[in-house]
Structure formats: C-alpha cells, structure tokens
Amino acid sequence: MPETSAAPPRTRPRLERADEFAPLLRQVKGRELLARRTGWYAAGIAIDLTVFAALVAGVVLVGDSWWTILLAVPLALFSTRIAFFGHDAGHSQIAASRRVNRGLGLVLGNLLLGMSSAWWNDKHNRHHANPNHLDKDPDVGEGVMVWTQAQAAKRVGFARWLTRNQARLFFPLLLLEGIALKVASVQMVASDKGWDRQGRARFVEGLLLALHLIGYVALLATTMSLGKALLFAFVHQALFGLHLGSVFAPNHKGMEMPDPAGERWGHLRRQVLTSRNVRGGRVTDWMMGGLNYQIEHHLFPSMPRPHLRIVRPVVQQYCAETGVRYTETGLIDSYRQALTHMHEVGAPLRKG
C-alpha cells in the first residue's frame, strides 16, 4: 500500500508552533498512556528469557552436530527480542526506578548480548534528541555509509566505491552489524572518549562484557568442534545484526533532515517529520518490537511499548488537525524508500 500522510483541515485554526506538542501531551496523559506496564514487561521478559535459556540448553544437548547450527536462527531472533527489552529499559519504559532500569540494561545488554548499555543509551539518546540532524544525530554521521550527497562528495578510495554501491550493499553489510555493535561497546568501555562514567560503573560494564564473551566462547568450545563453533557464531551474529538493523532501517532513512542553519523545529515537528511508521498487524509489531510505531515512540520515548499501537490514531488525528505531515507505509515500501534515498546519495559518484 502507498504511504499515507495527514492533511491539514479547513475547520480548525493553526496552533502556534511553540504550543503544538502541549495539547497532544495533555490528551495522552489524560488517557494514562504514559503509565508503566510493569506486569506486561515482567511477563514478556520472563517468556523471552525462558526461550533463550531453552535454546542455550538445546545447544548443549544436541552438541557436536550440524543440526546444532539450526539453533542459531531462533537464538538470533530471541537475542533481538532481548535487545528490544534492553532498548525499553534505556528509555525508562519498564520501571519507575532509574536503578532498576539501569540494572535491566546491564543484564540484558552487557551480560546476555555483549553490548554496552551505557554506550547504546548515550548514542541512542542523542539520536532521539535530534533525529536526522547532521550535526547532532550520530545515526546520520559519516561512517561506513553516508546519508547526504555532501558527505558522499568527500569519500575517496574504497569508501568512494562503497558509497556508490551502498544501496545494494546495505543488507549484506547488516550481517556484520552484530559484531560491530560489540566492537563499539568494547571500545567505549575501554576509552574515556565521549563517556563520563568512571570507577565502579566502568568496572561493572567491562566485567559483564567479559563474562558474556567468556560464557559464549565456553558454550561453543565445549559443545562442538571448531568449524561448527565458528559457523554457529557467524550465523547467530549475522542474523542478529540483520534482524536488528532491518528494524531500525525504515524508521528515518529518506525522511526529512533538519537544516542545521535553518529554523529550529519544536518537539512535534522534530520527531514526526523525521520519522516513518511501518504499517502492519500483530506479527509486524512482534518482529519489530513495536518500533514500527516510530513516530509515537519518538514523541513519547518513555511510553510503554504496548501503548504505542493504542496512541497511534490519536497522534495521527492530531497531526492532521495541526497540518503536520504524518508518514506511514508498508514494510516493503519502507525499505524501498530507505534504499532509494541511499541510492540517490551515491548518484553523483556514479556519473562519469
């Protein structure tokens, strides 16, 4: 289905931009949609951890067999499920206590996935504060891929070739994302750059990352031969990175990018105009961890995940009334739009 966008009405006067978000926030608070769903989260985390533990037990029981490699597929799926809950803990969606959310992030992220929760929260919070802002959002900074033609123009050598072909290489490169996240986490814990946590907090982060690595290597080394262990690790980490990256890819790529020198947008426009929802049912919600309601998540980052679907029509109607473009499309079309943007960014480098 084609994307849908909210259109401005003719009957309601336009609100002043400075006040645009406040009426919507009052509606949401009035419906108690920011209230925490501790029971929902407790049940969801318990189920996913039980399945995760059962899969690890399955690796031990099946042992040194090629059939064990098949378990890497559901293990990658539920690793991503655990990452979703770690993401929610980072946004303080789960518990009222900052300490509880921090503890959940350490267990789910550092210990079970080998990803630094402090590194992720720092990077992700900067993204939420200024999505798609070239000077402030780390997700659109220059890296393996670039997001504007100005960035692309500076590429040389292999990086230039990569940018020319980045649209077709995007999904293959996501196979390395799981490993890249772990490497970035270790670098963050080992370096003072960009991180002000010291002492005990740094020690706990590093210790849990080390315990994850030791446990992961020990599990594979004691249950299967070297060749099977390497193949299992590759399939697990590649599919984990592909799944996680495929969830985040449609959210902002190809959406508006604020002009750093232009008008400063208020919260409503800053979050809605730069975000894209992915339309779908319960399966889509489950596979994407509720992040297919990206607009609602960005407007209300501390809102519990099960409330995002509920608040969607409220936000959509409000955007129509205030004349703010609300973008929603199907899953396949969301990828098409994101890849088209990446292809266009590299277009000048393919000329001549």
Side-chain angles (χ1 to χ4, degrees):
M1 295 180 66
E3 72 174 47
T4 59
S5 302
R10 299 179 180 179
T11 57
R12 178 171 174 173
R14 185 179 183 85
L15 295 171
E16 292 297 324
R17 290 195 175 188
D19 299 325
E20 280 181 323
F21 181 63
L24 176 61
L25 180 59
R26 284 195 294 269
Q27 286 189 53
V28 171
K29 286 183 175 180
R31 299 186 185 203
E32 298 186 347
L33 292 175
L34 293 177
R36 288 180 173 80
R37 294 284 299 276
T38 306
W40 185 90
Y41 273 109
I45 292 174
I47 291 170
D48 285 355
L49 289 182
T50 299
V51 175
F52 188 83
L55 290 169
V56 173
V59 171
V60 175
L61 292 174
V62 178
D64 192 20
S65 167
W66 290 109
W67 291 107
T68 309
I69 309 302
L70 295 178
L71 292 174
V73 178
L75 189 63
L77 175 63
F78 278 87
S79 294
T80 308
R81 297 288 304 164
I82 289 172
F84 291 151
F85 284 117
H87 163 272
D88 293 357
H91 281 296
S92 299
Q93 294 176 15
I94 300 177
S97 167
R98 181 178 179 183
R99 178 173 294 183
V100 172
N101 287 311
R102 169 69 175 152
L104 286 170
L106 286 169
V107 172
L108 299 174
N110 294 59
L111 182 61
L112 295 182
L113 300 180
M115 290 172 48
S116 166
S117 59
W119 168 78
W120 171 260
N121 290 339
D122 173 73
K123 175 178 179 292
H124 195 59
N125 289 339
R126 285 186 286 130
H127 157 70
H128 264 265
N130 293 281
N132 271 10
H133 192 293
L134 285 173
D135 293 340
K136 299 177 180 180
D137 183 358
D139 288 355
V140 292
E142 297 180 38
V144 175
M145 295 186 174
V146 294
W147 311 106
T148 70
Q149 291 187 352
Q151 291 174 333
K154 296 183 287 185
R155 308 284 266 186
V156 296
F158 176 73
R160 190 176 181 86
W161 174 87
L162 191 66
T163 299
R164 285 202 304 267
N165 300 281
Q166 63 179 8
R168 64 171 60 96
L169 293 173
F170 179 70
F171 284 107
L173 285 172
L174 285 182
L175 296 173
L176 302 175
E177 182 67 11
I179 296 173
L181 292 172
K182 291 175 172 59
V183 171
S185 295
V186 172
Q187 291 175 335
M188 184 70 160
V189 172
S191 171
D192 289 333
K193 184 178 181 180
W195 189 36
D196 59 2
R197 292 185 175 275
Q198 300 293 332
R200 183 178 178 183
R202 179 184 296 278
F203 173 77
V204 172
E205 286 266 345
L207 176 62
L208 292 177
L209 290 177
L211 288 176
H212 168 83
L213 179 60
I214 293 170
Y216 192 77
V217 172
L219 172 67
L220 300 188
T222 58
T223 55
M224 59 191 86
S225 63
L226 178 61
K228 294 187 184 74
L230 292 175
L231 180 59
F232 183 97
F234 173 77
V235 173
H236 176 212
Q237 299 301 327
L239 293 182
F240 169 63
L242 179 63
H243 186 181
L244 199 61
S246 296
V247 168
F248 286 98
N251 296 341
H252 303 282
K253 308 312 179 197
M255 296 302 296
E256 290 199 41
M257 303 183 75
D259 182 357
E263 176 189 4
R264 180 173 175 81
W265 294 343
H267 182 72
L268 183 75
R269 293 172 184 271
R270 185 165 61 246
Q271 305 301 340
V272 175
L273 295 177
T274 60
S275 302
R276 176 193 294 113
N277 273 16
V278 175
R279 186 187 304 111
R282 297 293 181 180
V283 174
T284 302
D285 291 0
W286 192 85
M287 290 296 294
M288 300 190 74
L291 294 177
N292 47 313
Y293 303 107
Q294 189 67 194
I295 293 173
E296 290 71 27
H297 172 57
H298 262 257
L299 285 172
F300 309 101
S302 64
M303 179 177 287
R305 198 193 312 169
H307 290 174
L308 295 175
R309 168 184 277 269
I310 299 172
V311 81
R312 171 189 164 274
V314 177
V315 173
Q316 191 173 33
Q317 180 180 351
Y318 185 80
C319 286
E321 293 173 349
T322 54
V324 177
R325 181 182 175 88
Y326 181 105
T327 302
E328 182 178 81
T329 188
L331 180 62
I332 300 302
D333 192 52
S334 70
Y335 291 133
R336 180 194 63 78
Q337 292 181 36
L339 292 175
T340 297
H341 173 72
M342 285 184 268
H343 185 72
E344 291 173 350
V345 166
L349 304 187
R350 293 190 296 273
K351 296 178 180 179

